[in-house]
Amino acid sequence: MPENGSENQTENWNTALRYIAGRKAAEESLGFLAHISTTIQQTTQLKEVLPAVAKACVPFLASAVSLGSLAMHSQLVVQSPTEFSTALEGVRGLVGDNAGQRLVISEHEGLVKQTDPDHLNLLHQWKVDSAVGLPLIYRGLRGGHIFLLRGHGHRRGPISPSDLALISEVADRVAAFNAFVTQLAGPDDL
């Protein structure tokens, strides 16, 4: 039987702690996604759905959020402390007018290859660690964008691949809501 030295024990404990942390993060993400789904379903006024989603995203998922949905609001729905206003506006500007463009800027090792180094330098100038911009598309219907920023010191760190998957799920739910409003409710019903 091999000796169970202190180095091996430390490695075993580190592995166990990483496993527990991963499980906890996955459970938090699933709980958050359930919360977003419930928020969309149970918000009684259609015009209040996007502000409720934006409010739920900050601070758990992001430091600042911007949701653009022409189906519901003529202006952007923003949930952000004032210190992130410039960064949020700048990230929206990076996407520009191309409604189908996806933007990922993160120094996380799992996303750094998808990140333009010039964009990352801009984020650092704006005192932001990472940002994501995703189009809200559901079954071919385009309905705006969702932008999320994480500032320095956010409890979840820079946006990771698992965070990107969670953000994509939130975007899908908002896009489905937008499609519902666009297809089933007439403009006079809003």
Side-chain angles (χ1 to χ4, degrees), residues 92-111:
R92 284 192 305 259
L94 291 175
V95 170
D97 295 330
N98 187 354
Q101 188 176 356
R102 174 185 159 174
L103 179 70
V104 177
I105 309 170
S106 180
E107 57 192 17
H108 188 278
E109 62 189 24
L111 294 175

Side-chain angles (χ1 to χ4, degrees), residues 42-177:
Q42 294 182 355
T43 302
T44 55
Q45 298 294 318
L46 292 178
K47 288 200 177 272
E48 295 302 316
V49 171
L50 294 184
V53 168
K55 187 176 180 182
C57 287
V58 176
F60 175 80
L61 191 58
S63 301
V65 173
S66 170
L67 281 164
S69 168
L70 296 177
M72 291 303 302
H73 297 273
S74 58
Q75 296 182 348
L76 295 171
V77 174
V78 176
Q79 181 73 28
S80 172
T82 54
E83 70 223 47
F84 296 113
S85 298
T86 301
L88 207 49
E89 195 173 310
V91 170
R92 284 192 305 259
L94 291 175
V95 170
D97 295 330
N98 187 354
Q101 188 176 356
R102 174 185 159 174
L103 179 70
V104 177
I105 309 170
S106 180
E107 57 192 17
H108 188 278
E109 62 189 24
L111 294 175
V112 76
K113 290 181 181 178
Q114 297 179 35
T115 298
D116 180 332
D118 293 335
H119 290 168
L120 191 57
N121 287 335
L122 276 174
L123 284 189
H124 289 158
Q125 289 173 14
W126 295 326
K127 298 186 180 10
V128 175
D129 279 342
S130 50
V132 169
L134 298 176
L136 300 175
I137 302 171
Y138 183 76
R139 296 188 178 186
L141 288 173
R142 295 179 182 272
H145 266 82
I146 182 171
F147 294 96
L148 293 98
L149 306 177
R150 283 202 185 150
H152 300 302
H154 190 275
R155 75 174 191 90
R156 293 176 69 105
I159 294 172
S160 69
S162 61
D163 292 324
L164 183 57
L166 181 58
I167 294 166
S168 295
E169 288 293 329
V170 171
D172 287 346
R173 280 158 177 73
V174 173
F177 169 76

